[in-house]
Amino acid sequence: MLTRFPASRRALRHCSLTLSLLAGVSLAAHADDRVIDTAYGKVTVSGTPGHVVALDEQAVDTVLAVGAKPAGALATRGAEGVSNYLKDRAEGVPIVGTSREINLEAVLAAQPDLILAGARLDKTMYDKLSQIAPTIVPTSSLAQWKDSVMTYATAMNKADEAQQALQQIDTRIAALKPKMPAGATVSVVRWMPQGALVMSSHLIVGETLQALGLKTTALSDSLVKKPHSDILSLENLSQVDGDWMFLATLNEKGKEALDNARQQPAFQRLKAAQSNHVVAVDGQVWSSGSGILAANRLLDDLEQNLAN
């Protein structure tokens, strides 16, 4: 028996079907739209951006880690290009400013279809960059580095690649942990020409050390809102002495200052120094880096120096 709809019901049904089809077309046309929560509100990004300008060290690390190459990047602090640990992958990438000053004309010349900025980007600059391309400023702090990485990667339509890389880091930590000196206290210090800064244990380095079953110092644990302490004197450096000390320098002046400090009796009295457990490392990774590639470099250094 054929069911007949009243005219009004048929019209309603037809209208409903039409709306459903239209909705389907709309969804299909924007099936790869992604709405990203950012520090300045929600930003919609479509497709897979091909020209990504990375205005943050962690953003550069993320773009390279998921197999892409930035259309532009900032020079790292105190240098004319990106950090040394990223140089091989970032060869030929145009520099569009420094951490202190973004060159808007250079950003525009890169013709980005997506801009990845750092969490500390101010609103005035954000408004200018947003007129060039969708601009992503992560909501998470430096301490939540994995969240920021996923925000950048999702905007790039590379979330799966980033997630896989983060899982590989967890797997690598699990394999290394039994080889570490369990319970050993490790301090991480950045050496500047003016003296030593103790790095917060709430950053990527501290998180990695703790995931490996190592301890961080009380002073580094107390640095919840600051990435590092104030300048310490050699005598005060004894407060953050540990079983191992990793000393990071950013440039030649820092290395020269560290070489001088090593000659001082106060430095030579450190427990780590007397045990020959002081390791010089790249400050661009250990005190400034934050990302998938930086995490793997940290694990390289820790495996080389601490694994039994």
Side-chain angles (χ1 to χ4, degrees), residues 50-244:
H51 288 255
V52 180
V53 167
L55 303 179
D56 178 77
E57 187 94 348
Q58 187 184 58
V60 178
D61 185 306
T62 301
V63 174
L64 295 170
V66 298
K69 199 166 187 176
L74 295 184
T76 192
R77 190 174 63 174
E80 296 181 352
V82 299
S83 291
N84 290 332
Y85 83 97
L86 299 173
K87 276 187 174 177
D88 287 346
R89 293 173 184 249
E91 185 177 2
V93 171
I95 298 300
V96 296
T98 68
S99 57
R100 293 187 176 183
E101 184 176 7
I102 296 170
N103 184 332
L104 285 173
E105 291 185 357
V107 173
L108 187 60
Q111 301 182 338
D113 44 19
L114 179 67
I115 297 173
L116 306 179
R120 288 180 292 181
L121 184 77
D122 66 61
K123 184 65 165 54
T124 300
M125 180 57 72
Y126 170 79
D127 289 340
K128 293 177 181 177
L129 291 169
S130 295
Q131 293 180 34
I132 300 174
T135 300
I136 304 299
V137 179
T139 57
S140 50
S141 69
L142 189 62
Q144 299 165 313
W145 71 275
K146 291 181 181 177
D147 292 343
S148 299
V149 165
M150 288 307 302
T151 297
Y152 291 140
T154 301
M156 295 178 63
N157 207 15
K158 298 282 187 179
D160 289 346
E161 290 87 340
Q163 190 62 50
Q164 183 178 7
L166 291 173
Q167 288 173 353
Q168 288 172 348
I169 290 172
D170 290 341
T171 300
R172 192 175 175 193
I173 287 174
L176 270 179
K177 188 173 181 178
K179 301 177 183 178
M180 294 287 109
T185 300
V186 178
S187 62
V188 180
V189 178
R190 179 197 287 172
W191 213 281
M192 305 289 287
Q194 302 85 359
L197 305 168
V198 175
M199 302 306 299
S200 168
S201 63
H202 302 281
L203 305 179
I204 182 174
V205 175
E207 180 182 309
T208 303
L209 292 172
Q210 291 165 4
L212 288 166
L214 302 167
K215 293 181 180 178
T216 48
T217 65
L219 179 55
S220 63
D221 292 346
S222 71
L223 299 168
V224 177
K225 296 183 178 180
K226 297 171 59 178
H228 54 70
S229 71
D230 296 330
I231 296 284
L232 297 177
S233 67
L234 277 173
E235 287 72 19
N236 285 331
L237 193 62
S238 64
Q239 297 178 14
V240 293
D241 192 12
D243 299 301
W244 286 83

